[in-house]
Amino acid sequence: MTISKILNFLHGLSFDDLPSDVKHQAWRCLLDLCGVAAAGSGTELSRIIRDHAANHFGAGSGPAVRMLFDGRPVSPAGAALAGGMTIDSVDAHDGYPAAKGHAGAAVLPALLALAEDPDDRACMGAAEFMTSLVIGYELAIRAGVTLHATVPDYHTSGAWVAVACAGLGARRLKLDHERSRHALGIAEYHGPRSQMMRCIDHPTMLKDGAGWGAMAGISAAYLAADGFTGAPAITLEAEEAAGHWLDLGTRWLMLDQYFKPYPVCRWAQPATEAALDLRKAHDLKASDIDHVEVVSFHEASRLATREPADTEAAQYSLPFPLAAALVHGELEPAQIDGAALKDPETLRLSKGMVLREDDDYNARFPAERLAHVTLHLKDGTALTSAPSAGRGNAENPLGDDKIHAKFERYTACCLSPPSAIELAGAIKATSEGFGSASRLLKAMTASPSTQNYTAAI
């Protein structure tokens, strides 16, 4: 049975079972997520949700864990909620194309919420932490691909990451197979099947549901531990789902993750990359450009906000970040928030941008996200790029040096240099699987009084 295979993988996998390339990818994912989390901790979204968790998700008589880049103690469910939404607040985290979403933004905060033993407060071992991170990615990605293949509506990542987070809770709480099965079923049922395209069309702080999915998953594990029932999880146990789980443990889907070079929706990144390439190749300035024409797939054309009022709207836009990239020659968090949202040259190009969709690009989505760009210059010249997929996919990956450089840029705005160095060292030490994960937890949950906090974006 498929569910037996999944449960054996969930409870039986060890660090020694992981191939070396999977261990290396897990380090890359952890480093990238921690950098994005640090940047996210300075957003208004993160401040609101962390205050909410502190005020409404107290630990009570259960275990208390510290919130990501905050330090205040809350329940594991509250910590998962706040951590997931903090990472999700800057749309620069990794993703999986066929799942049309993001596993790590929920898996990591759920894992952090479980990393201290609920009974004796002993910290999780480093090898177990990294093994669990891999398990979380593999379960989440497959649940996401299965959901999209079997359900017509496009749900946020929270809908399927909840299942993986429940699995991590079941492993940490050492639930037997029957209670683990119920945990997975509870999480699938209560995972937030929220409407992704609504948030694309009307961007707000709701984002991709990572925090709510992490919270639902952690809660599901604790409910199952207490005897609450909820099996089966259809995306794991239905006959039509079986094909997506056959190679679990032999084919590692996290190796096909993409990493984002820019802090905006992945759908906007191929066009942004193409525009930046043209700018560099022809030594252009924004003032040389009359208007921009973008040809991409349908979903990308829905990222149509041209005058974003806040960073959420800017992150779920195609015209604005592309225009900002042409103005500044780069696209960093600072270009999609604050005073940058009122930059007149960026707004000129954003408001004048032409968006079109292409039937071939539509047919190739979501496995491929393609775009090409034409820059119409003021002198009448038209410069057209080749089709672009954007950097960071498995076939054109960001190198380790690029991932580390991104980490350094994203941590610089919210962590003091010594804190950022310590965090990078803790990530590396934990990824090697020796000792405990206590150093990493300490670096990731330090209270604001120990950090050099400024607005991240």
Side-chain angles (χ1 to χ4, degrees):
M1 289 177 61
T2 299
I3 188 61
S4 296
K5 178 183 181 72
I6 294 170
L7 293 172
N8 288 334
F9 176 82
L10 170 62
H11 288 289
L13 191 72
S14 72
F15 190 69
D16 290 339
D17 295 327
L18 302 179
S20 59
D21 56 347
V22 173
K23 291 178 180 178
H24 184 72
Q25 182 77 331
W27 166 74
R28 283 163 53 86
C29 289
L30 182 57
L31 183 70
D32 192 62
L33 286 168
C34 288
V36 175
S41 68
T43 63
E44 183 70 359
L45 189 165
S46 177
R47 182 196 64 77
I48 292 171
I49 197 62
R50 286 183 284 118
D51 286 348
H52 177 79
N55 292 330
H56 301 286
F57 282 81
S61 60
V65 297
R66 292 166 294 169
M67 281 188 284
L68 178 65
F69 292 122
D70 184 289
R72 285 176 288 179
V74 294
S75 68
L81 170 67
M85 294 187 76
T86 291
I87 294 174
D88 212 11
S89 69
V90 176
D91 202 348
H93 41 81
D94 59 30
Y96 189 82
K100 296 193 285 188
H102 314 278
V107 166
L108 177 60
L111 181 55
L112 291 169
L114 295 163
E116 290 181 294
D117 190 280
D119 296 320
D120 63 14
R121 314 305 294 162
C123 184
M124 182 182 286
E128 173 63 14
F129 188 95
M130 297 306 296
T131 305
S132 295
L133 185 67
V134 171
I135 290 170
Y137 269 94
E138 293 299 314
L139 294 184
I141 291 170
R142 281 179 168 77
V145 172
T146 305
L147 183 66
H148 286 302
T150 56
V151 177
D153 197 12
Y154 182 2
H155 300 106
T156 63
S157 300
W160 41 270
V161 293
V163 175
C165 295
L168 295 182
R171 178 179 169 104
R172 183 59 168 158
L173 297 174
K174 297 180 173 60
L175 303 188
D176 60 29
H177 278 207
E178 184 62 17
R179 293 200 179 198
S180 297
R181 181 170 171 257
H182 285 300
L184 297 169
I186 296 165
E188 182 196 65
Y189 195 86
H190 289 300
R193 294 201 173 188
S194 34
Q195 312 99 313
M196 186 70 248
M197 295 312 295
R198 178 193 136 185
C199 201
I200 294 297
D201 294 334
H202 308 284
T204 64
M205 291 182 178
L206 292 172
K207 304 299 286 284
D208 197 34
W212 228 258
M215 177 190 69
I218 293 296
S219 298
Y222 279 102
L223 282 168
D226 289 338
F228 200 93
T229 60
I234 302 302
T235 47
L236 280 66
E237 299 198 37
E239 182 177 350
E240 61 268 28
H244 297 288
W245 299 93
L246 291 176
D247 55 3
L248 179 67
T250 56
R251 180 188 174 201
W252 303 90
L253 297 188
M254 71 180 300
L255 294 176
D256 296 327
Q257 288 273 112
Y258 62 75
F259 294 87
K260 292 183 179 181
Y262 310 117
V264 296
C265 180
R266 185 62 178 170
W267 301 345
Q269 301 208 10
T272 300
E273 187 93 0
L276 280 172
D277 286 347
L278 285 175
R279 184 188 190 276
K280 181 178 180 181
H282 296 276
D283 193 25
L284 297 173
K285 302 185 292 296
S287 58
D288 298 324
I289 302 168
D290 179 75
H291 70 280
V292 181
E293 181 179 354
V294 175
V295 179
S296 193
F297 50 96
H298 170 75
E299 287 78 4
S301 72
R302 296 271 288 271
L303 299 166
T305 301
R306 297 173 184 275
E307 297 181 76
D310 50 41
T311 187
E312 284 75 36
Q315 291 177 49
Y316 279 162
S317 166
L318 190 161
F320 188 86
L322 191 156
L326 287 173
V327 169
H328 299 282
E330 61 181 4
L331 186 58
E332 293 292 325
Q335 276 92 59
I336 53 167
D337 192 43
L341 299 180
K342 303 299 182 184
D343 180 76
E345 190 70 346
T346 300
L347 290 171
R348 177 183 72 83
L349 291 175
S350 179
K351 289 189 287 186
M353 198 169 299
V354 177
L355 303 182
R356 305 188 192 281
E357 58 183 273
D358 177 87
D359 289 342
D360 180 53
Y361 292 169
N362 285 339
R364 293 162 73 172
F365 177 82
E368 297 179 89
R369 295 99 185 274
L370 298 171
H372 66 267
V373 171
T374 299
L375 303 183
H376 294 271
L377 306 187
K378 291 178 179 178
D379 65 6
T381 304
L383 303 172
T384 300
S385 74
S388 170
R391 289 177 299 144
N393 297 315
E395 62 273 14
N396 59 346
L398 297 182
D400 292 353
D401 58 334
K402 295 292 193 297
I403 298 287
H404 200 278
K406 177 184 169 185
F407 170 86
E408 290 180 336
R409 296 195 310 274
Y410 279 50
T411 54
C413 53
C414 285
L415 303 185
S416 65
S419 295
I421 292 170
E422 170 57 21
L423 176 58
I427 292 167
K428 186 63 175 175
T430 302
S431 72
E432 293 169 352
F434 299 110
S436 82
S438 59
R439 180 183 173 190
L440 178 65
L441 263 69
K442 183 178 179 181
M444 293 195 68
T445 59
S447 67
S449 62
T450 67
Q451 305 291 0
N452 180 31
Y453 267 69
T454 59
I457 62 174

